[in-house]
Amino acid sequence: MSNWHQQPTDTVIANLATSPDQGLGTEEAQRRLAEFGPNELEEQPPRSPWLILLEQFTEPLVILLIVAALVAALIHEIVDSLFIGFILVANAGIGFTQEYRAERAVAALRRMAAPTARVVRDGEVADIPSQEVVAGDIVLLEAGMRVVADLRLVETSNLRIDEAALTGESFPVSKNASVELAKETLLGDRRNMAFYGTLVTYGRGRGVAVVTGMDTQMGQIAALLQTTEEAKTPLQVRMAQASKWLIGAVLIVCGVVFVGGLLRGNELTQMFLTGVSLAVAAVPEGLPAVVTITLALGAQQMVRRQALIRRLPAVETLGSVTVICADKTGTLTQGTMSVQVLYANGSRVTVAESSDGTAAEFRREGTPIDAGEDKFFSLLLGSLSLCTDAQIERPCTAEETSTGDPTEIALVKVAAQAGLIKQHLEEDYPRVDEIPFESERKRMTTLHSDPQGHLVSYTKGAVESILDGCSSIVRTGGIQPLSDQDRAEIMDQQEEFAQQGLRMLAAAYRQWEQKPIMEADQVEQDMVFIGFVGMSDPLRPEAAAAVATCKNAGIKPVLITGDHKATATNVARQVGILAEDEQIMTGRELAHTAVDALEAEVDKVSVYARVSPEDKVNIVQAWQNRDQIVAMTGDGVNDAPALKKADIGVAMGITGTDVSKEASDMILLDDNFATIVVAVEQGRVIYDNIRKFFRYLLSTNSGEILTMFGSILLGWPLALLPAQILWINLVTDGLPALALGVEPAEPDIMKRPPRDPKESVFARGMARHILWVGAYMAICALGVFWYIHQVTGELTAARTACFAALAFLQMAHVMAIRSESEPLWRTGVLSNPQLLSAVLLTMGLQFAVTYVPWLQGILHTTALSASNMVLCLGLAATLFLAVELEKALRGRREHGGCTPEPI
């Protein structure tokens, strides 16, 4: 039964066969515990380290490499086999190290449970392990306790509960056991319920446990986490596509060579071994390792910029993001209450808190004032500070600590910032008595003795409620009768502040000759109205700029929160998320909207208010159904399922719960929403660089394949020997490709829209580039081979020249493709010193294997004449110029509005 909030308390008690005074009997409690199980959240067994390691070998390209290594071993190419094996082990080791994270989200949920619970058993109050609480137990609540089950409250006294982690509500929620609610009442509005894992901040209460363990609202989130599947990242999809393309190409080439050789009269065994050797040469062994290492380097760079990557492919996913669904509390806002404005004696004062919270500036009509010395505002702040139960130790210092309700802490803090320290106020105005806050009357009163020995009561509460109890008002001329005009003025001012998303609290006082009867209808009448304050959960100062940057980069920001519609709307407008033509949708509307219907409207909605965890998942799903890449930011337990469902979940590192962190792919270490913009930029850089070394490695391998393919089809001796192919794959492929992974960002990186999520890694002309560059390399290499073989008649010299030409062609190519649009002279030769070093080192090694005698024996080379070496270098220069010409022509076409179709 899920409608406990709808039923009267007597009905709930009867249905659960318990007693509000006696509780359950010990025997009955034990029977229910045995029947329904312990009050704890179930966990799916975590993946074993061995399973995580095994998963590193399941990608198609990795499987192809495994097959290539086995085949190389079978044909006795032991060096090739060991090299490929080394690449596989290194790739798996890097992936395992980066991705090894246990699925601890449910475990974190369990840690939020209280270790003990205070219940009534056999008429006696007893503390028992929270796991032993059963449905029907009468549970006692006091400030500081964590709720141990979902409770239907049966008794409340000024009870307020912080439900931010569950619902996203910024303020502690006032509870009332006596209210009966409609069945469709949203979770955040169920005032007669207390939920597992939430925190009591004020007052006391008593409730009957209606559900425990996995049946609680928190348990439903745990179940949702277990059933929510993680989508494959765009990079994983593109790598799978590339792998299939490579496998198909390799099989076709090998088949053609095998059949062509047989038709030429070659032996079956010889052609089989030749075909297999060619297949081994065709596979870009370094590609998985280079991708993994580049992602790891990107993750390390992001940590330095306050973004901790928990799942390696998420580095690149950030660059694909098209939608960011941002939680409000603690993400766009600071997650703490703060007084923004004061109103007294017909004038307003704005409050601007310093970045570290230790000071504040008070301004009236733009002019700074000393609020602590102002007659009206000092009275307002002092009375509000005294009429609280919150305490701040070492106020207005970096070591400041606070206890109590967040709203009351904000009142005590702003008074301290004006120089009115609560401890000092209490020395002059010690508290004598109090009337606690009650949600029905929306007021709280404290009675104090003043320095002259007189008594004064201070009352705070909702503006309307305080006005109802006032007959006078403090003005410049002294205490005056509260007129209808005064009331209208105050209510108009309150309405103006409310439209700005502020929450108001008013203050009043009354002096006494002797101690009154401490009853609300006696004390809270004929009061003198002082004024009121407006407070809110303030925006992070960098949030608006970060949202603007996202929009400039073509990313749609969406606000999703459990908070009220008015608050969400105001925040969204302030940060720039909500435009005039965009819509707002509430949880109630979402409850009556199917995912298919939501999918049709989702691009028109920028704000979702009063939503449940299931709603958040549905919103993410609706965007994903439209082929969008979704990032979800959040910090609460209620965000965890959506964080896991999103293409990339982004948790807050400081204010975030353990649950949200464990469900995320990335953690913002500084809780700064702007950091996600930095991370998106880095993600785009990483993807650009992955494309660059795809372009480089596959062009290189196609050049090798076509060189080998051409020499076989032409009936020539093999242009390259296995050891030389291995050298190219290890040295000339590997080092420059790794250096491409740290290539700086292109100038327009955050000015272009996100790439199409369906875009192939070979899009935007890459496939055409790979084919023509590979063919160009093969023609140059075979041309050198033929020319030197014809001139000198020496096969070794011809192979050495072919070998050197391919290496130098690759170095020229890698320098030319550092940018997809900018020429090298504009990019700067020295802007990537790692790549320049790799190129110079590779060329130096190539000269060494050509001219150092003992290396000649290993790689079957011979010294080339100066003219032949210049020929090889000259051919490489022509490729460099050809690639630069290609970029220039493509730029001219695009500038003229004619963008070539990608292959």
Side-chain angles (χ1 to χ4, degrees), residues 5 130 299 410 557 580 787 830:
H5 61 279
S130 62
E580 291 298 327
Y787 170 73
L830 301 177

Side-chain angles (χ1 to χ4, degrees), residues 64 67-77 80 84 250-251 253-255 257-258 268-283 285 708 712 722 725:
L64 179 61
V67 173
L70 292 174
V71 171
L74 289 175
I75 63 173
H76 305 295
E77 295 291 347
D80 283 14
I84 297 172
V250 167
L251 291 176
V253 169
C254 293
V257 170
F258 178 73
L268 177 65
T269 303
Q270 180 189 7
M271 290 317 303
F272 174 76
L273 294 176
T274 301
V276 171
S277 298
L278 190 56
V280 173
V283 176
E285 296 95 334
M708 296 286 289
I712 291 172
I725 294 173

Side-chain angles (χ1 to χ4, degrees), residues 380-388 390 411-412 415 420-422 425:
L380 174 64
L381 293 173
S383 60
L384 286 171
S385 181
L386 285 168
C387 192
T388 67
L411 297 175
V412 176
L420 304 172
I421 307 299
K422 184 180 181 183
L425 293 173

Side-chain angles (χ1 to χ4, degrees), residues 20-266:
D21 299 319
Q22 297 296 311
L24 293 174
T26 302
E27 292 184 5
E28 175 62 15
Q30 293 298 326
R31 185 192 68 76
R32 295 187 186 190
L33 183 62
E35 181 178 353
F36 298 107
N39 176 35
E40 58 187 8
L41 302 182
E42 298 172 3
E43 291 185 270
Q44 288 184 336
R47 291 186 304 162
S48 72
W50 291 110
L51 179 61
I52 297 174
L53 183 61
L54 181 63
E55 289 175 352
Q56 306 301 314
F57 296 95
T58 57
E59 294 295 330
L61 186 56
V62 174
I63 294 172
L64 179 61
L65 286 175
I66 293 172
V67 173
L70 292 174
V71 171
L74 289 175
I75 63 173
H76 305 295
E77 295 291 347
I78 303 302
V79 175
D80 283 14
S81 179
L82 290 175
F83 174 68
I84 297 172
F86 171 77
I87 292 293
L88 287 168
V89 171
N91 181 66
I94 294 169
F96 177 83
T97 300
Q98 291 289 336
E99 292 189 22
Y100 179 50
R101 55 168 184 151
E103 296 292 331
R104 293 187 297 266
V106 181
L109 275 168
R110 293 180 70 181
R111 288 195 294 273
M112 290 189 67
T116 60
R118 186 162 295 168
V119 300
V120 178
R121 293 270 177 95
D122 297 315
E124 300 289 337
V125 176
D127 289 333
I128 64 172
S130 62
Q131 293 89 344
E132 296 180 9
V133 173
V134 296
D137 262 325
I138 302 299
V139 180
L140 306 183
L141 300 175
E142 295 178 3
M145 287 184 171
R146 204 170 282 281
V147 181
V148 297
D150 283 3
L151 310 178
R152 172 59 166 91
L153 297 169
V154 298
E155 176 186 314
T156 54
S157 177
N158 311 313
L159 181 65
R160 277 178 264 171
I161 298 179
D162 182 356
E163 297 179 347
L166 180 65
T167 67
E169 170 64 66
S170 303
F171 301 95
V173 180
S174 294
K175 298 295 182 177
N176 187 338
S178 62
V179 299
E180 294 178 19
L181 303 170
K183 182 178 181 179
E184 63 272 12
T185 303
L186 297 175
L187 186 67
D189 297 324
R190 296 179 187 174
R191 296 171 54 213
N192 57 11
M193 298 287 295
F195 299 105
Y196 181 108
T198 57
L199 182 67
V200 179
T201 63
Y202 193 85
R204 58 182 178 80
R206 179 182 293 229
V208 56
V210 292
V211 289
T212 60
M214 293 297 289
D215 293 325
T216 63
Q217 292 294 327
M218 202 74 78
Q220 291 177 31
I221 293 178
L224 200 58
L225 278 170
Q226 293 176 359
T227 56
T228 301
E229 295 183 2
E230 294 187 39
K232 282 188 175 294
T233 69
L235 181 62
Q236 289 172 322
V237 172
R238 292 184 179 95
M239 286 289 287
Q241 292 172 343
S243 300
K244 292 174 183 176
W245 185 88
L246 287 172
I247 291 170
V250 167
L251 291 176
I252 290 171
V253 169
C254 293
V256 170
V257 170
F258 178 73
V259 173
L262 291 178
L263 293 176
R264 291 176 60 87
N266 292 325

Side-chain angles (χ1 to χ4, degrees), residues 696 699-700 769-770 772-778 780 805-817 872-887:
Y696 173 65
S699 297
T700 296
H769 177 90
I770 289 170
W772 84 255
V773 170
Y776 191 96
M777 287 182 177
C780 290
L806 269 178
F808 297 148
L809 284 161
Q810 290 171 22
M811 294 305 98
H813 183 231
V814 77
M815 292 300 292
I817 62 170
C872 294
L873 291 170
L875 290 171
T878 64
L879 176 59
F880 175 84
L881 294 174
V883 174
E884 289 290 1
L885 179 62
E886 177 197 34
K887 288 192 290 186

Side-chain angles (χ1 to χ4, degrees), residues 606-627:
S606 290
V607 178
Y608 297 88
R610 238 36 194 156
V611 297
S612 69
E614 292 84 356
D615 292 332
K616 294 185 179 186
V617 173
N618 290 339
I619 294 165
V620 172
Q621 182 66 64
W623 277 111
Q624 290 175 332
N625 289 350
R626 296 186 65 148
D627 297 321

